[in-house]
Amino acid sequence: MDPTSASGGAGNGTSTRPYLIRALHDWCTDNGFTPYVAVHVDRSVQVPMEYVSNNEIVLNIGFDATSGLDLGNEFIQFKARFGGVAREIVVPVDHVVAIYARENGQGMAFPAPEPLGEGDAVPSVPAPADPRRSGLRLASETEDDEGDDAPTPPDTPGGGPRPTLKRVK
């Protein structure tokens, strides 16, 4: 039996992939490692496309880098910051091609998903429990329809470089 089959026929049960992902995520966090997932990106994956290279993106799914992490049986969902901008991330579990610890590379790889055909439907992504809490809005909802120039970013206090934080353990 293939331990990562998407969903088996009669008697095969459900995929073991989401259970293995959760187990390795737990192992990483229990041992102080940073869990990373490599994801095959197609139109069913909701990630910042500007960070995708060769139809793949690597995501830090550690608790320090995510908010509202949900490692479900069908989807991995969370919020994360990319370039200082909060983004809602939704990844179908069958698109995870690897999960590993950043520090030592230990983990597990999975087969890539079957490519979507022309007539195949994109899996439906579950809606957030409370859409008002997602923080995402259409640009037309937040800006005037006049088409004015984009707002200028605020100046940093004191005119110096942007302050940074250093984590002390």
Side-chain angles (χ1 to χ4, degrees), residues 131-152:
R132 293 172 291 156
R133 297 189 70 199
S134 72
L136 299 177
R137 291 179 191 81
L138 294 175
S140 61
E141 293 177 3
T142 60
E143 302 203 291
D144 295 331
D145 292 332
E146 298 174 7
D148 292 340
D149 293 338
T152 58

Side-chain angles (χ1 to χ4, degrees), residues 9-77:
N12 285 345
T14 59
S15 172
T16 56
R17 189 180 300 207
Y19 302 95
L20 295 169
I21 290 170
R22 284 192 291 271
L24 285 165
H25 181 273
D26 287 348
W27 174 80
C28 284
T29 55
D30 288 351
N31 288 286
F33 299 138
T34 308
Y36 276 18
V37 290
V39 177
H40 175 78
V41 177
D42 63 16
R43 63 182 181 220
S44 67
V45 179
Q46 182 180 324
V47 295
M49 296 307 284
E50 60 269 26
Y51 294 95
V52 174
S53 176
N54 297 325
N55 292 336
E56 188 171 285
I57 188 169
V58 176
L59 301 168
N60 177 347
I61 59 170
F63 292 119
D64 291 341
T66 62
S67 171
L69 178 64
D70 178 21
L71 299 172
N73 286 345
E74 298 294 324
F75 294 95
I76 296 174
Q77 296 180 281

